[in-house]
Amino acid sequence: ERTELYKESVPLLSELNYYSPPGREFYFQQRAVMALAEWVPSFLAAMEQRTGKTGPFVSAARRKAELGQTKLTLVVSTRRLLYTAWTDEVIMYWPDAGYTILDSNAKREDLLENHYDVVMTSFESLYKNWPLIRALYDPSEIMLIADETIKIKSPTARRTTAMLAACSEVGYRYLLSGAPVSRLHSDLLPQLMCVDPGLFGDDYATAMDYFFEFIRDGTMRFRQGRKA
């Protein structure tokens, strides 16, 4: 089965250059991540910075929309990146897409009246925007792309709970992070729970209690035998 999958994926890597801008071609790692998105509905792309993550994921979203697999692409990132990198990449890699950034009540009211191929929101605004998006679209037909997911750490923060809520329902979810993991428990667990919301059960605290314990001075440590 794996051999057949490999044989099918090799020509696909070349075909994906169709989605690159004129005069440019994707690097191998960019085509590889797009091909992976063809087969896997959810993963964390923990790729180094400057490897070119945004363009391939915009192209993957475009491809899913053209194949009729999705009706909406939801991009979640920092406010600064929404207005710079993500806006630029949507224009470059999906020039025919209609897009909007839900950063005000006026934009949310506009979404009630108009359809967009790509809707963008900051982590901080997701808790307001997700209920609206969920009411307008079938979550199973939404592709969520979250950038800079190192931002979701605290289990009680609104940005974390909103991300978990959205990721638990959308049909496709892809997390992007180029930041180093400095604190394993707080950096990785929320991201893994977004990739697979049921991986550690229904409660973030359950995973924390299973893997970690506090010693006398208040320092958090892996429980014996759990680190591996």
Side-chain angles (χ1 to χ4, degrees):
E1 182 179 352
R2 289 185 177 182
T3 301
E4 292 303 316
L5 180 61
Y6 175 77
K7 289 179 179 179
E8 291 182 31
S9 66
V10 170
L12 177 62
L13 291 180
S14 300
E15 294 169 9
L16 291 173
N17 270 325
Y18 167 80
Y19 293 93
S20 61
R24 300 177 63 177
E25 288 189 358
F26 289 118
Y27 294 113
F28 176 82
Q29 75 271 11
Q30 294 177 309
R31 299 197 306 273
V33 81
M34 291 171 64
L36 185 62
E38 294 278 324
W39 303 103
V40 182
S42 178
F43 60 81
L44 166 63
M47 302 163 67
E48 292 183 7
Q49 296 182 1
R50 307 295 179 185
T51 53
K53 296 187 288 294
T54 52
F57 277 96
V58 171
S59 299
R62 173 185 172 185
R63 185 173 172 87
K64 286 190 183 298
E66 290 176 351
L67 293 174
Q69 297 174 357
T70 60
K71 296 293 178 60
L72 180 74
T73 298
L74 173 62
V75 176
V76 186
S77 186
T78 63
R79 183 180 176 85
R80 177 182 62 83
L81 288 177
L82 293 179
Y83 283 95
T84 54
W86 280 102
T87 296
D88 293 343
E89 301 290 66
V90 169
I91 293 172
M92 182 179 296
Y93 290 93
W94 198 352
D96 297 331
Y99 70 90
T100 184
I101 300 176
L102 295 183
D103 58 359
S104 66
N105 289 331
K107 293 286 188 67
R108 283 184 276 273
E109 291 176 3
D110 173 68
L111 185 63
L112 292 172
E113 304 295 331
N114 298 287
H115 167 74
Y116 293 93
D117 300 295
V118 181
V119 171
M120 297 188 273
T121 176
S122 66
F123 285 104
E124 290 77 13
S125 298
L126 182 61
Y127 82 99
K128 285 184 179 180
N129 293 329
W130 173 243
L132 173 63
I133 294 169
R134 186 182 183 278
L136 295 174
Y137 294 90
D138 180 348
S140 67
E141 297 178 327
I142 295 176
M143 173 173 167
L144 183 151
I145 307 171
D147 191 15
E148 297 290 341
T149 50
I150 200 72
K151 298 289 184 183
I152 53 172
K153 293 185 178 183
S154 171
T156 57
R158 285 194 302 196
R159 66 173 65 183
T160 304
T161 56
M163 273 291 294
L164 289 171
C167 288
S168 68
E169 294 192 273
V170 295
Y172 305 92
R173 52 200 179 278
Y174 303 106
L175 278 62
L176 286 62
S177 179
V181 174
S182 57
R183 299 183 64 203
L184 183 61
H185 63 281
S186 61
D187 290 357
L188 273 183
L189 284 182
Q191 296 184 75
L192 294 178
M193 290 185 72
C194 286
V195 170
D196 185 353
L199 185 62
F200 298 121
D202 298 329
D203 186 0
Y204 181 97
T206 302
M208 293 294 291
D209 290 341
Y210 179 84
F211 286 103
F212 304 99
E213 63 182 347
F214 289 96
I215 59 178
R216 290 182 180 179
D217 65 356
T219 304
M220 181 178 286
R221 292 283 186 267
F222 276 104
R223 293 186 184 276
Q224 185 174 1
R226 302 286 167 79
K227 188 172 183 177

